[in-house]
Amino acid sequence: MQAQAIRTASPIAETLARDEPLSFVAAATESCHRRGLNMTPIRRRVLEVVAASPTPIAAYAIIHRLSDTKLLGPPTVYRALEFLVEASFVRHLALRKAFVLCARPDEPFVAVLTCTACGDTSEVTSEEIRAAIAQFASSTGFAPDGHAIEIEGRCATCRGAGADHVF
C-alpha cells in the first residue's frame, strides 16, 4: 500500500506546507467568502490559534490562549470549532480530544498520523485505504460521508532518536 503525503494538495494546504499559519487563515477566510460562509472574528481568531499550534491543541487550551484579549466561554469556542470542522479547515482528533489544521480539505478519507512522543501530526491518503473503507462499508450497508482514521504511534524521527513515551 503506497501512502502519499497530502500537505500540498490544495491551495489552502500549500500554505500549510510552507508553515505560514497566517497565510492559511487568509486562504481559509477567502474560501469562506467564495463559498458564502461567514468567517466571524471569533472563528478567525480560533483558527489562528489552531494554525499557530505546532501540535494538536485541545479546546480548553484554545480558550486559555484567547483569554488574554477577551474572555471567551467554552460554548463560544466550541461553536467556532464546530464551524471550522464543518468548513473543512480544522480536523477534530477524537483520540487526542484536540484539533489540527486540515491539510487536505477536499479529501474525505485520510489517515491522520499522530506521534505520541513529539505530537507531530500529518495526513496521508491512499487509494487502497479509500477502497478498503468503501468495500467494508458496502458489505455492512453503511454509507460513510467521509472520515479521518486516526493512527497513533511514533514518527520516524522519534523512533530514530530513541525517544520514549509513557501513556
Side-chain angles (χ1 to χ4, degrees):
M1 179 181 334
Q2 181 65 32
Q4 301 173 8
I6 57 174
R7 287 197 180 264
T8 60
S10 70
I12 292 176
E14 288 173 11
T15 61
L16 178 61
R18 292 190 303 262
D19 293 323
E20 299 174 3
L22 294 180
S23 294
F24 183 92
V25 173
T29 301
E30 176 58 31
S31 175
C32 282
H33 180 70
R34 283 192 320 272
R35 295 161 54 193
L37 302 174
N38 186 15
M39 178 65 85
T40 65
I42 291 173
R43 291 171 178 169
R44 181 181 173 91
R45 187 69 184 111
V46 169
L47 183 58
E48 288 170 354
V49 172
V50 175
S53 179
T55 59
I57 184 167
Y60 274 89
I62 295 169
I63 293 166
H64 178 71
R65 289 191 186 164
L66 293 175
S67 67
D68 60 339
T69 57
K70 179 180 178 183
L71 185 59
L72 297 176
T76 303
V77 172
Y78 277 107
R79 280 192 299 273
L81 286 166
E82 182 179 330
F83 169 84
L84 296 170
V85 168
E86 287 177 12
S88 297
F89 300 132
V90 170
R91 261 190 222 288
H92 176 238
L93 302 179
L95 291 175
R96 292 243 160 186
K97 297 180 182 156
F99 298 87
V100 294
L101 291 181
C102 184
R104 179 78 186 247
D106 56 339
E107 179 62 48
F109 295 99
V110 297
V112 179
L113 309 174
T114 303
C115 180
T116 55
C118 71
D120 184 55
T121 301
S122 61
E123 293 181 6
V124 296
T125 187
S126 74
E127 181 56 31
E128 291 87 357
I129 290 173
R130 192 210 56 76
I133 291 170
Q135 181 180 8
F136 178 75
S138 175
S139 71
T140 62
F142 188 78
D145 294 327
H147 193 59
I149 298 170
E150 297 178 47
I151 302 170
E152 289 191 336
R154 290 180 44 192
C155 69
T157 302
C158 290
R159 280 194 347 264
D164 292 325
H165 177 73
V166 178
F167 285 98

